[in-house]
Amino acid sequence: MAQPDAAVAGEVLSTDPAAARAAMRSIEDSTRAALEDLDYALGVLREEQSGTAPTRTLADLPELLERLRHTGAVVEPELTGELTRVQGTLSRAAYRIIQEGLTNALRHGAGGPIEVRVAAGPDGLDFAVVNRTGARTGPGQGPGPFSTSGHGLPGLAERVRLLQGEFRSGPDGTERWRLAVRLPVRASV
């Protein structure tokens, strides 16, 4: 229960920092478990509503990249680390963020290769999608590449924030756009 832990953390913050840290870790664990439960429940509801395939994870990323190649897209992947060891909410969220980044690159890019970099390490999961945009870069800059309503990137940023990660998107030089994310990997206790 997060509320009693939050109350304990607030009461002992100045007198017992170790107890406050333990209470905060408990809050973090409870929040992460709640997000995983919610993610699972939403996945089940979506599957029931649409009759779609099961929720994808990073283990399905090579298949996604291959499907993109079959559409004629040039994809340059660099996948390092053991992606299949990343589990649960983190793996599903990373797949969805990469999928959305690739969709945006196809929709708004100016052709050329789409770089996909994913590195799974013991402490974090780093990934980026980089594509060519032409001379004009950035969402909302008129009729050129990345002329969008701006709802997609804020949604991705919010998902990353909920997972306590770091989110960056924007021009990468004059003719490239980069979506970069770092998600922390928590050790199981």
Side-chain angles (χ1 to χ4, degrees):
M1 295 191 115
Q3 285 181 334
D5 290 334
V8 168
E11 288 179 20
V12 299
L13 184 60
S14 61
T15 59
D16 190 352
R21 279 192 293 278
M24 298 296 267
R25 277 192 299 276
S26 177
I27 293 168
E28 181 181 346
D29 292 344
S30 296
T31 302
R32 187 174 302 279
L35 282 172
E36 287 177 1
D37 291 345
L38 180 60
D39 185 52
Y40 175 78
L42 289 173
V44 168
L45 289 172
R46 285 184 193 123
E47 289 171 24
E48 287 176 2
Q49 274 185 332
S50 64
T52 60
T55 304
R56 303 290 184 182
T57 66
L58 284 175
D60 300 303
L61 188 57
E63 179 186 333
L64 173 64
L65 298 176
E66 192 58 34
R67 284 195 320 255
L68 282 174
R69 285 188 187 101
H70 285 299
T71 68
V74 177
V75 182
E76 296 177 345
E78 183 180 307
L79 311 177
T80 59
E82 295 184 46
L83 301 183
T84 57
R85 293 192 65 156
V86 179
Q87 299 292 315
T89 300
L90 185 65
S91 183
R92 290 187 297 274
Y95 179 91
R96 294 287 297 146
I97 294 165
I98 293 167
Q99 182 182 39
E100 180 69 21
L102 290 167
T103 300
N104 287 342
L106 288 173
R107 185 177 296 146
H108 305 294
I114 301 170
E115 299 171 21
V116 180
R117 306 289 180 250
V118 183
D123 298 328
L125 178 65
D126 293 284
F127 51 94
V129 177
V130 181
N131 62 283
R132 219 174 119 240
T133 62
R136 300 166 77 179
T137 60
Q141 292 195 355
F146 290 94
S147 175
T148 67
S149 65
H151 296 295
L153 290 176
L156 292 179
E158 177 65 14
R159 183 178 295 210
V160 170
R161 188 188 67 74
L162 287 172
L163 292 168
Q164 300 176 347
E166 300 169 19
F167 176 88
R168 293 181 316 279
S169 67
D172 184 32
T174 58
E175 296 187 7
R176 292 167 34 115
W177 184 267
R178 175 182 298 271
L179 167 69
V181 174
R182 175 163 177 73
L183 298 175
V185 173
R186 302 285 188 233
S188 299
V189 180

PDB file of all heavy atoms in Angstrom, residues 21-51:
ATOM      1  N   ARG A  21      13.973   5.977   2.999  1.00  0.00           N
ATOM      2  CA  ARG A  21      14.360   5.369   1.718  1.00  0.00           C
ATOM      3  C   ARG A  21      13.669   4.019   1.531  1.00  0.00           C
ATOM      4  O   ARG A  21      13.206   3.699   0.439  1.00  0.00           O
ATOM      5  CB  ARG A  21      15.886   5.218   1.631  1.00  0.00           C
ATOM      6  CG  ARG A  21      16.591   6.511   1.232  1.00  0.00           C
ATOM      7  CD  ARG A  21      18.053   6.259   0.870  1.00  0.00           C
ATOM      8  NE  ARG A  21      18.854   5.845   2.015  1.00  0.00           N
ATOM      9  CZ  ARG A  21      19.372   6.671   2.915  1.00  0.00           C
ATOM     10  NH1 ARG A  21      19.178   7.971   2.794  1.00  0.00           N
ATOM     11  NH2 ARG A  21      20.092   6.219   3.921  1.00  0.00           N
ATOM     12  N   ALA A  22      13.584   3.226   2.586  1.00  0.00           N
ATOM     13  CA  ALA A  22      12.914   1.922   2.494  1.00  0.00           C
ATOM     14  C   ALA A  22      11.439   2.110   2.156  1.00  0.00           C
ATOM     15  O   ALA A  22      10.881   1.368   1.333  1.00  0.00           O
ATOM     16  CB  ALA A  22      13.071   1.149   3.797  1.00  0.00           C
ATOM     17  N   ALA A  23      10.809   3.085   2.778  1.00  0.00           N
ATOM     18  CA  ALA A  23       9.396   3.360   2.478  1.00  0.00           C
ATOM     19  C   ALA A  23       9.230   3.825   1.039  1.00  0.00           C
ATOM     20  O   ALA A  23       8.277   3.417   0.352  1.00  0.00           O
ATOM     21  CB  ALA A  23       8.849   4.413   3.451  1.00  0.00           C
ATOM     22  N   MET A  24      10.149   4.648   0.562  1.00  0.00           N
ATOM     23  CA  MET A  24      10.078   5.124  -0.824  1.00  0.00           C
ATOM     24  C   MET A  24      10.280   3.971  -1.806  1.00  0.00           C
ATOM     25  O   MET A  24       9.612   3.904  -2.835  1.00  0.00           O
ATOM     26  CB  MET A  24      11.121   6.220  -1.072  1.00  0.00           C
ATOM     27  CG  MET A  24      10.900   7.460  -0.211  1.00  0.00           C
ATOM     28  SD  MET A  24       9.351   8.268  -0.589  1.00  0.00           S
ATOM     29  CE  MET A  24       9.930   9.415  -1.778  1.00  0.00           C
ATOM     30  N   ARG A  25      11.188   3.040  -1.488  1.00  0.00           N
ATOM     31  CA  ARG A  25      11.369   1.857  -2.347  1.00  0.00           C
ATOM     32  C   ARG A  25      10.095   1.021  -2.396  1.00  0.00           C
ATOM     33  O   ARG A  25       9.713   0.501  -3.435  1.00  0.00           O
ATOM     34  CB  ARG A  25      12.552   1.010  -1.876  1.00  0.00           C
ATOM     35  CG  ARG A  25      13.892   1.519  -2.385  1.00  0.00           C
ATOM     36  CD  ARG A  25      15.007   0.513  -2.149  1.00  0.00           C
ATOM     37  NE  ARG A  25      15.223   0.214  -0.733  1.00  0.00           N
ATOM     38  CZ  ARG A  25      15.967   0.946   0.090  1.00  0.00           C
ATOM     39  NH1 ARG A  25      16.590   2.013  -0.361  1.00  0.00           N
ATOM     40  NH2 ARG A  25      16.104   0.609   1.348  1.00  0.00           N
ATOM     41  N   SER A  26       9.434   0.917  -1.248  1.00  0.00           N
ATOM     42  CA  SER A  26       8.175   0.172  -1.197  1.00  0.00           C
ATOM     43  C   SER A  26       7.118   0.844  -2.063  1.00  0.00           C
ATOM     44  O   SER A  26       6.363   0.165  -2.774  1.00  0.00           O
ATOM     45  CB  SER A  26       7.691   0.064   0.254  1.00  0.00           C
ATOM     46  OG  SER A  26       6.455  -0.589   0.307  1.00  0.00           O
ATOM     47  N   ILE A  27       7.066   2.170  -2.027  1.00  0.00           N
ATOM     48  CA  ILE A  27       6.132   2.918  -2.871  1.00  0.00           C
ATOM     49  C   ILE A  27       6.454   2.673  -4.340  1.00  0.00           C
ATOM     50  O   ILE A  27       5.566   2.411  -5.159  1.00  0.00           O
ATOM     51  CB  ILE A  27       6.185   4.429  -2.545  1.00  0.00           C
ATOM     52  CG1 ILE A  27       5.638   4.694  -1.149  1.00  0.00           C
ATOM     53  CG2 ILE A  27       5.416   5.237  -3.599  1.00  0.00           C
ATOM     54  CD1 ILE A  27       5.914   6.087  -0.634  1.00  0.00           C
ATOM     55  N   GLU A  28       7.731   2.724  -4.688  1.00  0.00           N
ATOM     56  CA  GLU A  28       8.148   2.491  -6.069  1.00  0.00           C
ATOM     57  C   GLU A  28       7.751   1.094  -6.533  1.00  0.00           C
ATOM     58  O   GLU A  28       7.212   0.912  -7.619  1.00  0.00           O
ATOM     59  CB  GLU A  28       9.657   2.678  -6.198  1.00  0.00           C
ATOM     60  CG  GLU A  28      10.172   2.472  -7.595  1.00  0.00           C
ATOM     61  CD  GLU A  28      11.680   2.643  -7.696  1.00  0.00           C
ATOM     62  OE1 GLU A  28      12.304   3.174  -6.759  1.00  0.00           O
ATOM     63  OE2 GLU A  28      12.231   2.248  -8.732  1.00  0.00           O
ATOM     64  N   ASP A  29       8.008   0.084  -5.686  1.00  0.00           N
ATOM     65  CA  ASP A  29       7.655  -1.294  -6.044  1.00  0.00           C
ATOM     66  C   ASP A  29       6.145  -1.450  -6.213  1.00  0.00           C
ATOM     67  O   ASP A  29       5.683  -2.107  -7.144  1.00  0.00           O
ATOM     68  CB  ASP A  29       8.169  -2.274  -4.990  1.00  0.00           C
ATOM     69  CG  ASP A  29       9.686  -2.383  -4.960  1.00  0.00           C
ATOM     70  OD1 ASP A  29      10.344  -1.950  -5.945  1.00  0.00           O
ATOM     71  OD2 ASP A  29      10.223  -2.864  -3.944  1.00  0.00           O
ATOM     72  N   SER A  30       5.376  -0.846  -5.303  1.00  0.00           N
ATOM     73  CA  SER A  30       3.912  -0.923  -5.397  1.00  0.00           C
ATOM     74  C   SER A  30       3.411  -0.239  -6.655  1.00  0.00           C
ATOM     75  O   SER A  30       2.512  -0.750  -7.339  1.00  0.00           O
ATOM     76  CB  SER A  30       3.260  -0.266  -4.170  1.00  0.00           C
ATOM     77  OG  SER A  30       3.584  -0.962  -2.996  1.00  0.00           O
ATOM     78  N   THR A  31       3.990   0.897  -6.983  1.00  0.00           N
ATOM     79  CA  THR A  31       3.585   1.628  -8.183  1.00  0.00           C
ATOM     80  C   THR A  31       3.912   0.832  -9.431  1.00  0.00           C
ATOM     81  O   THR A  31       3.095   0.717 -10.346  1.00  0.00           O
ATOM     82  CB  THR A  31       4.280   3.003  -8.226  1.00  0.00           C
ATOM     83  OG1 THR A  31       3.941   3.726  -7.036  1.00  0.00           O
ATOM     84  CG2 THR A  31       3.863   3.800  -9.446  1.00  0.00           C
ATOM     85  N   ARG A  32       5.103   0.257  -9.483  1.00  0.00           N
ATOM     86  CA  ARG A  32       5.505  -0.543 -10.636  1.00  0.00           C
ATOM     87  C   ARG A  32       4.573  -1.750 -10.795  1.00  0.00           C
ATOM     88  O   ARG A  32       4.130  -2.071 -11.890  1.00  0.00           O
ATOM     89  CB  ARG A  32       6.952  -1.003 -10.502  1.00  0.00           C
ATOM     90  CG  ARG A  32       7.473  -1.702 -11.749  1.00  0.00           C
ATOM     91  CD  ARG A  32       8.954  -2.024 -11.627  1.00  0.00           C
ATOM     92  NE  ARG A  32       9.772  -0.862 -11.395  1.00  0.00           N
ATOM     93  CZ  ARG A  32      10.178  -0.013 -12.338  1.00  0.00           C
ATOM     94  NH1 ARG A  32       9.830  -0.202 -13.578  1.00  0.00           N
ATOM     95  NH2 ARG A  32      10.929   1.011 -12.036  1.00  0.00           N
ATOM     96  N   ALA A  33       4.244  -2.422  -9.692  1.00  0.00           N
ATOM     97  CA  ALA A  33       3.338  -3.576  -9.756  1.00  0.00           C
ATOM     98  C   ALA A  33       1.952  -3.147 -10.234  1.00  0.00           C
ATOM     99  O   ALA A  33       1.328  -3.837 -11.047  1.00  0.00           O
ATOM    100  CB  ALA A  33       3.247  -4.249  -8.385  1.00  0.00           C
ATOM    101  N   ALA A  34       1.484  -1.986  -9.757  1.00  0.00           N
ATOM    102  CA  ALA A  34       0.177  -1.490 -10.188  1.00  0.00           C
ATOM    103  C   ALA A  34       0.181  -1.171 -11.679  1.00  0.00           C
ATOM    104  O   ALA A  34      -0.786  -1.467 -12.396  1.00  0.00           O
ATOM    105  CB  ALA A  34      -0.217  -0.256  -9.377  1.00  0.00           C
ATOM    106  N   LEU A  35       1.274  -0.571 -12.175  1.00  0.00           N
ATOM    107  CA  LEU A  35       1.376  -0.275 -13.602  1.00  0.00           C
ATOM    108  C   LEU A  35       1.391  -1.562 -14.426  1.00  0.00           C
ATOM    109  O   LEU A  35       0.766  -1.632 -15.485  1.00  0.00           O
ATOM    110  CB  LEU A  35       2.638   0.539 -13.898  1.00  0.00           C
ATOM    111  CG  LEU A  35       2.563   2.021 -13.573  1.00  0.00           C
ATOM    112  CD1 LEU A  35       3.949   2.660 -13.734  1.00  0.00           C
ATOM    113  CD2 LEU A  35       1.563   2.713 -14.450  1.00  0.00           C
ATOM    114  N   GLU A  36       2.095  -2.569 -13.943  1.00  0.00           N
ATOM    115  CA  GLU A  36       2.121  -3.841 -14.658  1.00  0.00           C
ATOM    116  C   GLU A  36       0.738  -4.481 -14.691  1.00  0.00           C
ATOM    117  O   GLU A  36       0.313  -5.005 -15.719  1.00  0.00           O
ATOM    118  CB  GLU A  36       3.144  -4.784 -14.033  1.00  0.00           C
ATOM    119  CG  GLU A  36       4.572  -4.377 -14.324  1.00  0.00           C
ATOM    120  CD  GLU A  36       5.604  -5.272 -13.657  1.00  0.00           C
ATOM    121  OE1 GLU A  36       5.223  -6.252 -12.965  1.00  0.00           O
ATOM    122  OE2 GLU A  36       6.802  -4.987 -13.827  1.00  0.00           O
ATOM    123  N   ASP A  37       0.029  -4.425 -13.551  1.00  0.00           N
ATOM    124  CA  ASP A  37      -1.331  -4.975 -13.516  1.00  0.00           C
ATOM    125  C   ASP A  37      -2.249  -4.221 -14.463  1.00  0.00           C
ATOM    126  O   ASP A  37      -3.042  -4.823 -15.196  1.00  0.00           O
ATOM    127  CB  ASP A  37      -1.905  -4.914 -12.095  1.00  0.00           C
ATOM    128  CG  ASP A  37      -1.216  -5.875 -11.138  1.00  0.00           C
ATOM    129  OD1 ASP A  37      -0.497  -6.783 -11.606  1.00  0.00           O
ATOM    130  OD2 ASP A  37      -1.397  -5.705  -9.916  1.00  0.00           O
ATOM    131  N   LEU A  38      -2.146  -2.897 -14.467  1.00  0.00           N
ATOM    132  CA  LEU A  38      -2.965  -2.079 -15.354  1.00  0.00           C
ATOM    133  C   LEU A  38      -2.631  -2.349 -16.813  1.00  0.00           C
ATOM    134  O   LEU A  38      -3.521  -2.503 -17.653  1.00  0.00           O
ATOM    135  CB  LEU A  38      -2.774  -0.591 -15.035  1.00  0.00           C
ATOM    136  CG  LEU A  38      -3.557   0.399 -15.888  1.00  0.00           C
ATOM    137  CD1 LEU A  38      -5.061   0.157 -15.746  1.00  0.00           C
ATOM    138  CD2 LEU A  38      -3.208   1.815 -15.482  1.00  0.00           C
ATOM    139  N   ASP A  39      -1.340  -2.447 -17.106  1.00  0.00           N
ATOM    140  CA  ASP A  39      -0.909  -2.734 -18.469  1.00  0.00           C
ATOM    141  C   ASP A  39      -1.464  -4.077 -18.928  1.00  0.00           C
ATOM    142  O   ASP A  39      -1.964  -4.213 -20.045  1.00  0.00           O
ATOM    143  CB  ASP A  39       0.626  -2.733 -18.528  1.00  0.00           C
ATOM    144  CG  ASP A  39       1.156  -2.895 -19.934  1.00  0.00           C
ATOM    145  OD1 ASP A  39       0.729  -2.143 -20.823  1.00  0.00           O
ATOM    146  OD2 ASP A  39       2.016  -3.775 -20.129  1.00  0.00           O
ATOM    147  N   TYR A  40      -1.412  -5.073 -18.060  1.00  0.00           N
ATOM    148  CA  TYR A  40      -1.935  -6.388 -18.405  1.00  0.00           C
ATOM    149  C   TYR A  40      -3.450  -6.323 -18.639  1.00  0.00           C
ATOM    150  O   TYR A  40      -3.953  -6.852 -19.629  1.00  0.00           O
ATOM    151  CB  TYR A  40      -1.617  -7.395 -17.291  1.00  0.00           C
ATOM    152  CG  TYR A  40      -2.240  -8.749 -17.545  1.00  0.00           C
ATOM    153  CD1 TYR A  40      -1.672  -9.638 -18.441  1.00  0.00           C
ATOM    154  CD2 TYR A  40      -3.415  -9.122 -16.895  1.00  0.00           C
ATOM    155  CE1 TYR A  40      -2.243 -10.861 -18.698  1.00  0.00           C
ATOM    156  CE2 TYR A  40      -3.993 -10.346 -17.141  1.00  0.00           C
ATOM    157  CZ  TYR A  40      -3.414 -11.212 -18.040  1.00  0.00           C
ATOM    158  OH  TYR A  40      -3.991 -12.414 -18.289  1.00  0.00           O
ATOM    159  N   ALA A  41      -4.162  -5.664 -17.725  1.00  0.00           N
ATOM    160  CA  ALA A  41      -5.622  -5.570 -17.858  1.00  0.00           C
ATOM    161  C   ALA A  41      -6.020  -4.828 -19.126  1.00  0.00           C
ATOM    162  O   ALA A  41      -6.939  -5.260 -19.840  1.00  0.00           O
ATOM    163  CB  ALA A  41      -6.214  -4.868 -16.633  1.00  0.00           C
ATOM    164  N   LEU A  42      -5.333  -3.740 -19.428  1.00  0.00           N
ATOM    165  CA  LEU A  42      -5.634  -3.002 -20.657  1.00  0.00           C
ATOM    166  C   LEU A  42      -5.336  -3.851 -21.884  1.00  0.00           C
ATOM    167  O   LEU A  42      -6.085  -3.822 -22.861  1.00  0.00           O
ATOM    168  CB  LEU A  42      -4.849  -1.699 -20.705  1.00  0.00           C
ATOM    169  CG  LEU A  42      -5.301  -0.612 -19.735  1.00  0.00           C
ATOM    170  CD1 LEU A  42      -4.330   0.561 -19.764  1.00  0.00           C
ATOM    171  CD2 LEU A  42      -6.710  -0.157 -20.041  1.00  0.00           C
ATOM    172  N   GLY A  43      -4.264  -4.614 -21.844  1.00  0.00           N
ATOM    173  CA  GLY A  43      -3.932  -5.504 -22.960  1.00  0.00           C
ATOM    174  C   GLY A  43      -5.009  -6.545 -23.183  1.00  0.00           C
ATOM    175  O   GLY A  43      -5.411  -6.818 -24.310  1.00  0.00           O
ATOM    176  N   VAL A  44      -5.509  -7.131 -22.095  1.00  0.00           N
ATOM    177  CA  VAL A  44      -6.574  -8.124 -22.206  1.00  0.00           C
ATOM    178  C   VAL A  44      -7.829  -7.487 -22.785  1.00  0.00           C
ATOM    179  O   VAL A  44      -8.470  -8.042 -23.686  1.00  0.00           O
ATOM    180  CB  VAL A  44      -6.874  -8.769 -20.827  1.00  0.00           C
ATOM    181  CG1 VAL A  44      -8.153  -9.581 -20.865  1.00  0.00           C
ATOM    182  CG2 VAL A  44      -5.695  -9.629 -20.388  1.00  0.00           C
ATOM    183  N   LEU A  45      -8.183  -6.305 -22.288  1.00  0.00           N
ATOM    184  CA  LEU A  45      -9.378  -5.622 -22.795  1.00  0.00           C
ATOM    185  C   LEU A  45      -9.235  -5.281 -24.270  1.00  0.00           C
ATOM    186  O   LEU A  45     -10.181  -5.443 -25.052  1.00  0.00           O
ATOM    187  CB  LEU A  45      -9.649  -4.351 -21.991  1.00  0.00           C
ATOM    188  CG  LEU A  45     -10.145  -4.573 -20.566  1.00  0.00           C
ATOM    189  CD1 LEU A  45     -10.198  -3.250 -19.817  1.00  0.00           C
ATOM    190  CD2 LEU A  45     -11.504  -5.247 -20.566  1.00  0.00           C
ATOM    191  N   ARG A  46      -8.078  -4.799 -24.671  1.00  0.00           N
ATOM    192  CA  ARG A  46      -7.857  -4.456 -26.080  1.00  0.00           C
ATOM    193  C   ARG A  46      -7.970  -5.698 -26.962  1.00  0.00           C
ATOM    194  O   ARG A  46      -8.546  -5.652 -28.034  1.00  0.00           O
ATOM    195  CB  ARG A  46      -6.488  -3.809 -26.268  1.00  0.00           C
ATOM    196  CG  ARG A  46      -6.431  -2.396 -25.776  1.00  0.00           C
ATOM    197  CD  ARG A  46      -5.069  -1.768 -26.075  1.00  0.00           C
ATOM    198  NE  ARG A  46      -4.941  -0.550 -25.333  1.00  0.00           N
ATOM    199  CZ  ARG A  46      -3.960  -0.291 -24.471  1.00  0.00           C
ATOM    200  NH1 ARG A  46      -3.015  -1.178 -24.265  1.00  0.00           N
ATOM    201  NH2 ARG A  46      -3.922   0.845 -23.834  1.00  0.00           N
ATOM    202  N   GLU A  47      -7.376  -6.791 -26.503  1.00  0.00           N
ATOM    203  CA  GLU A  47      -7.441  -8.028 -27.280  1.00  0.00           C
ATOM    204  C   GLU A  47      -8.872  -8.520 -27.407  1.00  0.00           C
ATOM    205  O   GLU A  47      -9.289  -8.968 -28.469  1.00  0.00           O
ATOM    206  CB  GLU A  47      -6.564  -9.105 -26.637  1.00  0.00           C
ATOM    207  CG  GLU A  47      -5.085  -8.824 -26.797  1.00  0.00           C
ATOM    208  CD  GLU A  47      -4.219  -9.759 -25.977  1.00  0.00           C
ATOM    209  OE1 GLU A  47      -4.676 -10.868 -25.651  1.00  0.00           O
ATOM    210  OE2 GLU A  47      -3.088  -9.375 -25.664  1.00  0.00           O
ATOM    211  N   GLU A  48      -9.652  -8.428 -26.328  1.00  0.00           N
ATOM    212  CA  GLU A  48     -11.044  -8.864 -26.380  1.00  0.00           C
ATOM    213  C   GLU A  48     -11.851  -7.983 -27.324  1.00  0.00           C
ATOM    214  O   GLU A  48     -12.678  -8.468 -28.083  1.00  0.00           O
ATOM    215  CB  GLU A  48     -11.670  -8.826 -24.987  1.00  0.00           C
ATOM    216  CG  GLU A  48     -11.186  -9.931 -24.083  1.00  0.00           C
ATOM    217  CD  GLU A  48     -11.747  -9.822 -22.674  1.00  0.00           C
ATOM    218  OE1 GLU A  48     -12.545  -8.905 -22.400  1.00  0.00           O
ATOM    219  OE2 GLU A  48     -11.373 -10.663 -21.829  1.00  0.00           O
ATOM    220  N   GLN A  49     -11.599  -6.665 -27.279  1.00  0.00           N
ATOM    221  CA  GLN A  49     -12.347  -5.734 -28.119  1.00  0.00           C
ATOM    222  C   GLN A  49     -12.033  -5.902 -29.589  1.00  0.00           C
ATOM    223  O   GLN A  49     -12.911  -5.893 -30.427  1.00  0.00           O
ATOM    224  CB  GLN A  49     -12.037  -4.288 -27.728  1.00  0.00           C
ATOM    225  CG  GLN A  49     -12.890  -3.775 -26.619  1.00  0.00           C
ATOM    226  CD  GLN A  49     -12.607  -2.299 -26.369  1.00  0.00           C
ATOM    227  OE1 GLN A  49     -11.511  -1.813 -26.626  1.00  0.00           O
ATOM    228  NE2 GLN A  49     -13.595  -1.601 -25.879  1.00  0.00           N
ATOM    229  N   SER A  50     -10.768  -6.023 -29.909  1.00  0.00           N
ATOM    230  CA  SER A  50     -10.387  -6.004 -31.319  1.00  0.00           C
ATOM    231  C   SER A  50     -10.033  -7.378 -31.878  1.00  0.00           C
ATOM    232  O   SER A  50      -9.869  -7.516 -33.078  1.00  0.00           O
ATOM    233  CB  SER A  50      -9.197  -5.062 -31.521  1.00  0.00           C
ATOM    234  OG  SER A  50      -8.080  -5.556 -30.828  1.00  0.00           O
ATOM    235  N   GLY A  51      -9.922  -8.369 -31.022  1.00  0.00           N
ATOM    236  CA  GLY A  51      -9.540  -9.690 -31.496  1.00  0.00           C
ATOM    237  C   GLY A  51      -8.134  -9.715 -32.063  1.00  0.00           C
ATOM    238  O   GLY A  51      -7.822 -10.497 -32.942  1.00  0.00           O
TER     239      GLY A  51
END
